[in-house]
Amino acid sequence: MKNGENMIKRLLSASFHNKLVAHFGIVLLLATTIVGLSSFFIAQHSLNQKGRQILENSVQQALTVIEIEYENSQKGFKTQAQAQEDAKISLLGPLQADGRRLIDNHIDLGENGYFIIYDSLGNEVMHPSLEGQNVWDTTDSTDSDRYIVREQIDLAKGHPEGGFMTYNWNLLNSDQVGQKYAYGLYFEEWDWIVVASAYAVDFNSDANQILFTTLFLILILLFIVLHLINTYVQSISQPITQLLGGIEALEAGRYQAVDGQKSDKEMGSLVDGYNKMIGSLEENAKNLDRKNEEITYLAYHDEMTGLANVYGMKNQIDQLTKSQIRSAAFVLISIRGLKTINALMGFAKGNQLLKEIGQFLLFNYDARYCARASSNEFAIFIEIGNDDAFNASIESLKKALSAFIKSKGYGITTDFRLAIARYPDHGDDFEGLFEKTTLVMNLIKDSPEIYSQVYHDRMKRDMSQKIKLMQSLAQALQNGEIIPYYQAKIDYRSDAVVRVEALARWQSPLAGMVSPGIFLPLIVEMHLTDDFTAYMIDSALQQYDGICQKYGGAIDLSINVTPSSFLNSNFFDLISQSLKKHQVPSGRLILEITEDVFVEELASIQEIVGNLHAIGVRLAIDDFGTGYSSLNSLVQIDFDELKIDKSFIDKILTDEKAFQLVKMLCGIAEIYDYQLVTEGVESLDQLNRLKETNLHIIQGYLFSQPEPL
């Protein structure tokens, strides 16, 4: 305090010249400090407001994801637990072995920001490191009387529009405490309080850079000015006027440099320093603008393909439908076979396919109305006229997309399905149109024959019936409604039954006899494949004694197994325990696996095949020649039987190439000592043609239809 008084006395006693220098220095210090601090606080406030908006938008996006997963669980597409876990993975990341979740999503909440989900009791439903813990009594890091979790829950549940709060909390994986913003909404159906949180430092770190840059340049300016003013007071009036003008422009938000060409050397240095400060502030402002642009871009675009995402497309379509557009088609495109490409060629090839399809859509359609809707789905919005124009547009799309996929070399493994809704007949906004096409896609995506389908009202009834059927199917295994039917395999040389194949048939109390073509895809969709496989193996082996009595003596039993069940780590134990339980000789069991199994690593298949062979179980490749196997696979995997698919047999009377191919397969089987079986033989002409080969074990309606024991 005393030192300050002495400095004031020296200033008052100083000469007018020194006073002028001192006063000028003080004024410059105050002005530049005010400008710097004003810029800092304005930038900080703006960034914090932007951050709060980002948090609110992020929670809205999170609620959209959760509502979609909730609808999936309500419709029976997923269990509630699976839907909830899928929502957590989308919002935060997969659960690790140590109970933590990696922060791995496309929503930018800053370096230290992340999503949190509580329930009403304060349990951490989702958290990077505290998941599963009760945090009801958690308090502010700097205020032990403030219970932040209770406050957040009350805000979210008490306000339908959600609520913001600010508190102090440790940065993630750090002991450092920072001010944290959080915005929460309540999702009543699952009793979830969904919170997006981020630290203030994540949003206003650029403002700190402005402050530090300003303070540093202020010190430089003061040093230069105080050094020069003593000699050049008269020569600096004009530059000072310019500087003041630049400061006024800066206060008004304009970054205006000063012309120092008419200044002397020292004053020119001051002007250069000021211009550097202006340049730094302007560059920081541009960086902030670029960052905001990036955030906005990622919020409405797909980074991989460059197309809009569903949020971006929604904005565009909702704007378009408010104009004078009279008729349009909304098309949802599902790309099939992506999993196979990823498995056979690698994820880079799968991503390349997605990018190329994105470029195809951008080239052929208005970029504003093209979007990547999900991992393997795209959407386009096409303005059309009458019904003829509508049909022509859809046919043109199908032909062009099919030709494009084939031209890129994906035709063997890849195809597509189109789900179509018409505007305004089926919906007058994006939400309505997207809902209708999603419903259509759920009905046709696994169809082997339907490549495109326009929405119609009866599809809601079809979906309702499908859901009811799925609900019935979930109980069918427990109630024993699905039973094995058996189709004989005949050695035509002796006209004797040498083995039988167990085929699933469902007699539903509600729907009657349900075709396997209907309920088997539903089993896959409901993730009941492993349960179904175990059920069929147990049921067929339980009836083995009855099979032997019906067909006379010991007989081989074939059972179909899906690749996913075959590769399950518990599959070998299931087979060995079931054989032991029902006292069936292991050498009488043949497991039929489709060629899809070859999309997995050969080493895994070899190990499982070796273990099964060790106990005497035999393996057959079902539907051989229609999937993903190769001669290399046949050499490396020691299968016992090849089963020629019906599609080959259907052509042997009319297509000489098909018959020669069957003969070639017979030769391969003989070389590698495989038993060869053919299915789908339905006429004597087909049988007589096959007698020209060394194939003699026949399965088909010519000899036997599937029948219960």
Side-chain angles (χ1 to χ4, degrees):
M1 184 68 178
K2 188 174 182 179
N3 291 336
E5 292 175 354
N6 292 335
M7 181 179 292
I8 293 173
K9 289 179 181 179
R10 287 196 297 270
L11 287 172
L12 292 175
S13 63
S15 66
F16 175 78
H17 181 78
N18 290 338
K19 287 181 181 179
L20 181 60
V21 173
H23 289 164
F24 189 89
I26 291 171
V27 170
L28 182 61
L29 175 63
L30 290 175
T32 52
T33 301
I34 290 171
V35 171
L37 292 177
S38 297
S39 299
F40 167 74
F41 287 117
I42 290 171
Q44 186 184 57
H45 177 74
S46 176
L47 289 169
N48 286 340
Q49 288 299 109
K50 186 69 175 180
R52 289 165 66 94
Q53 186 62 48
I54 289 173
L55 290 180
E56 183 174 352
N57 291 344
S58 299
V59 172
Q60 294 293 344
Q61 293 181 35
L63 259 293
T64 299
V65 173
I66 292 171
E67 286 169 357
I68 290 172
E69 293 297 340
Y70 172 77
E71 290 297 324
N72 286 339
S73 69
Q74 289 296 301
K75 293 177 180 178
F77 301 153
K78 300 180 180 179
T79 65
Q80 180 169 309
Q82 183 62 53
Q84 290 177 340
E85 178 60 23
D86 288 347
K88 295 178 193 178
I89 292 172
S90 297
L91 298 181
L92 191 56
L95 187 65
Q96 306 299 301
D98 61 358
R100 295 172 177 265
R101 288 185 185 271
L102 297 178
I103 301 177
D104 181 20
N105 60 60
H106 295 296
I107 300 177
D108 185 8
L109 295 178
E111 180 179 358
N112 299 288
Y114 49 86
F115 284 108
I116 306 169
I117 299 177
Y118 310 107
D119 63 20
S120 294
L121 300 178
N123 294 308
E124 289 278 8
V125 176
M126 182 186 77
H127 191 276
S129 59
L130 302 176
E131 189 162 322
Q133 300 184 27
N134 187 281
V135 293
W136 181 258
D137 294 325
T138 300
T139 60
D140 189 291
S141 293
T142 60
D143 183 1
S144 60
D145 293 328
R146 185 185 182 196
Y147 294 90
I148 57 177
V149 175
R150 302 180 192 180
E151 184 176 338
Q152 182 72 74
I153 292 173
D154 290 341
L155 276 172
K157 294 184 71 174
H159 300 82
E161 71 278 9
F164 278 100
M165 63 180 292
T166 305
Y167 58 95
N168 296 307
W169 190 250
N170 288 358
L171 271 68
L172 194 63
N173 301 319
S174 170
D175 294 329
Q176 182 180 353
V177 175
Q179 187 181 44
K180 194 170 187 180
Y181 297 113
Y183 176 79
L185 283 172
Y186 182 51
F187 186 68
E188 184 176 357
E189 286 80 358
W190 283 345
D191 190 29
W192 279 8
I193 293 86
V194 183
V195 179
S197 62
Y199 291 85
V201 66
D202 290 336
F203 297 124
N204 58 36
S205 59
D206 286 343
N208 293 333
Q209 184 179 354
I210 292 173
L211 177 62
F212 295 144
T213 302
T214 303
L215 292 176
F216 176 75
L217 292 174
I218 286 173
L219 292 176
I220 295 175
L221 286 172
L222 284 174
F223 176 81
I224 296 172
V225 170
L226 292 175
H227 177 72
L228 297 176
I229 282 180
N230 189 50
T231 306
Y232 300 104
V233 170
Q234 297 300 323
S235 64
I236 65 173
S237 58
Q238 183 178 358
I240 288 297
T241 301
Q242 292 178 334
L243 284 173
L244 291 175
I247 291 172
E248 290 175 357
L250 183 60
E251 289 177 332
R254 302 192 307 274
Y255 299 94
Q256 180 176 303
V258 174
D259 182 9
Q261 293 182 357
K262 296 181 180 180
S263 304
D264 57 24
K265 181 177 180 181
E266 289 78 5
M267 195 60 208
S269 298
L270 174 62
V271 172
D272 288 343
Y274 177 82
N275 287 338
K276 288 179 181 178
M277 180 182 74
I278 291 295
S280 277
L281 293 175
E282 187 174 13
E283 182 61 30
N284 284 330
K286 290 179 179 178
N287 287 336
L288 291 177
D289 290 340
R290 282 195 294 268
K291 186 172 183 180
N292 289 336
E293 289 173 359
E294 289 174 3
I295 291 172
T296 302
Y297 180 85
L298 291 175
Y300 296 104
H301 291 81
D302 173 56
E303 191 172 9
M304 178 188 294
T305 62
L307 297 175
N309 59 22
V310 289
Y311 305 108
M313 191 179 202
K314 179 182 184 301
N315 288 344
Q316 294 291 344
I317 290 180
D318 287 348
Q319 290 177 20
L320 182 65
T321 53
K322 293 176 182 177
S323 64
Q324 298 301 314
I325 181 173
R326 301 179 63 181
S327 181
F330 183 90
V331 185
L332 189 64
I333 306 169
S334 176
I335 305 301
R336 290 163 40 103
L338 193 63
K339 180 179 178 181
T340 301
I341 291 176
N342 290 338
L344 293 176
M345 308 177 192
F347 283 95
K349 197 70 173 177
N351 291 341
Q352 179 183 336
L353 170 60
L354 294 174
K355 292 177 184 177
E356 290 175 342
I357 291 176
Q359 291 302 308
F360 165 81
L361 295 176
L362 286 174
F363 181 78
N364 289 280
Y365 298 95
D366 191 329
R368 295 175 298 169
Y369 309 115
C370 298
R372 185 183 179 196
S374 67
S375 60
N376 69 322
E377 290 182 343
F378 296 85
I380 57 174
F381 189 76
I382 313 170
E383 187 173 358
I384 56 173
N386 56 26
D387 289 345
D388 291 339
F390 172 84
N391 295 330
S393 295
I394 299 304
E395 286 302 314
S396 175
L397 170 62
K398 288 166 60 177
K399 291 179 181 179
L401 184 56
S402 178
F404 177 79
I405 290 174
K406 290 179 181 178
S407 71
K408 294 296 181 179
Y410 298 104
I412 297 177
T413 57
T414 307
D415 63 3
F416 58 89
R417 297 292 182 268
L418 305 182
I420 307 145
R422 295 191 65 164
Y423 167 86
D425 300 346
H426 304 143
D428 59 3
D429 60 11
F430 172 84
E431 295 290 348
L433 295 168
F434 189 60
E435 176 188 353
K436 300 301 190 304
T437 54
T438 299
L439 188 151
V440 175
M441 190 60 73
N442 283 329
L443 290 173
I444 70 168
K445 63 182 180 180
D446 294 319
S447 171
E449 299 175 352
I450 302 175
Y451 280 83
S452 64
Q453 179 66 58
V454 179
Y455 172 82
H456 47 75
D457 290 336
R458 71 172 180 274
M459 286 186 171
K460 284 189 175 180
R461 297 192 298 272
D462 294 343
M463 180 57 72
S464 177
Q465 292 173 357
K466 178 181 177 181
I467 292 173
K468 290 179 181 179
L469 197 63
M470 293 172 76
Q471 292 171 341
S472 299
L473 185 57
Q475 298 296 321
L477 296 177
Q478 299 179 13
N479 298 339
E481 298 170 14
I482 298 178
I483 61 174
Y485 274 45
Y486 300 96
Q487 185 175 29
K489 300 180 183 181
I490 309 295
D491 187 336
Y492 74 81
R493 298 174 303 182
S494 60
D495 201 29
V497 177
V498 293
R499 65 191 68 164
V500 295
E501 179 180 356
L503 302 169
R505 295 294 183 268
W506 179 19
Q507 181 67 44
S508 169
L510 297 177
M513 183 63 75
V514 182
S515 167
I518 295 176
F519 75 80
L520 289 179
L522 293 182
I523 286 176
V524 176
E525 188 173 339
M526 296 170 66
H527 304 288
L528 294 174
T529 304
D530 290 344
D531 293 339
F532 173 73
T533 298
Y535 174 86
M536 283 298 296
I537 289 172
D538 184 75
S539 299
L541 292 180
Q542 184 180 22
Q543 295 182 349
Y544 181 73
D545 289 341
I547 294 171
C548 293
Q549 291 177 9
K550 178 174 181 175
Y551 292 99
I555 195 167
D556 293 340
L557 171 64
S558 295
I559 302 176
N560 291 287
V561 178
T562 64
S564 61
S565 296
F566 181 76
L567 295 165
N568 190 300
S569 59
N570 298 321
F571 182 71
F572 176 77
D573 292 337
L574 168 67
I575 295 299
S576 58
Q577 292 170 10
S578 296
L579 289 169
K580 184 177 180 180
K581 173 184 176 182
H582 298 294
Q583 298 295 302
V584 175
S586 58
R588 291 297 180 181
L589 178 61
I590 301 173
L591 301 177
E592 297 187 4
I593 306 103
T594 60
E595 295 175 83
D596 300 33
V597 75
F598 289 110
V599 302
E600 299 293 335
E601 291 291 335
L602 291 180
S604 301
I605 304 172
Q606 287 172 328
E607 180 180 358
I608 298 171
V609 170
N611 291 336
L612 292 170
H613 276 163
I615 63 173
V617 175
R618 287 177 284 167
L619 285 304
I621 300 178
D622 194 14
D623 300 335
F624 180 70
T626 62
Y628 311 104
S629 64
S630 64
L631 294 179
N632 181 55
S633 301
L634 295 178
V635 172
Q636 296 189 56
I637 307 298
D638 188 18
F639 282 93
D640 302 282
E641 180 180 294
L642 299 182
K643 192 172 180 183
I644 298 177
D645 186 67
K646 181 179 183 297
S647 61
F648 288 98
I649 304 305
D650 290 341
K651 300 175 184 177
I652 61 173
L653 297 178
T654 58
D655 187 342
E656 182 62 25
K657 290 183 179 179
F659 177 69
Q660 293 301 323
L661 183 57
V662 171
K663 289 184 68 175
M664 183 185 72
L665 293 176
C666 293
I668 293 173
E670 185 174 1
I671 292 172
Y672 291 107
D673 195 26
Y674 293 141
Q675 185 70 260
L676 198 61
V677 179
T678 186
E679 61 183 355
V681 179
E682 299 178 352
S683 70
L684 284 173
D685 290 339
Q686 289 175 332
L687 177 61
N688 291 331
R689 187 66 164 153
L690 289 173
K691 287 181 179 180
E692 299 177 26
T693 71
N694 58 3
L695 194 158
H696 52 84
I697 298 179
I698 307 296
Q699 179 180 355
Y701 283 4
L702 177 63
F703 293 101
S704 169
Q705 295 190 20
E707 57 186 28
L709 190 61

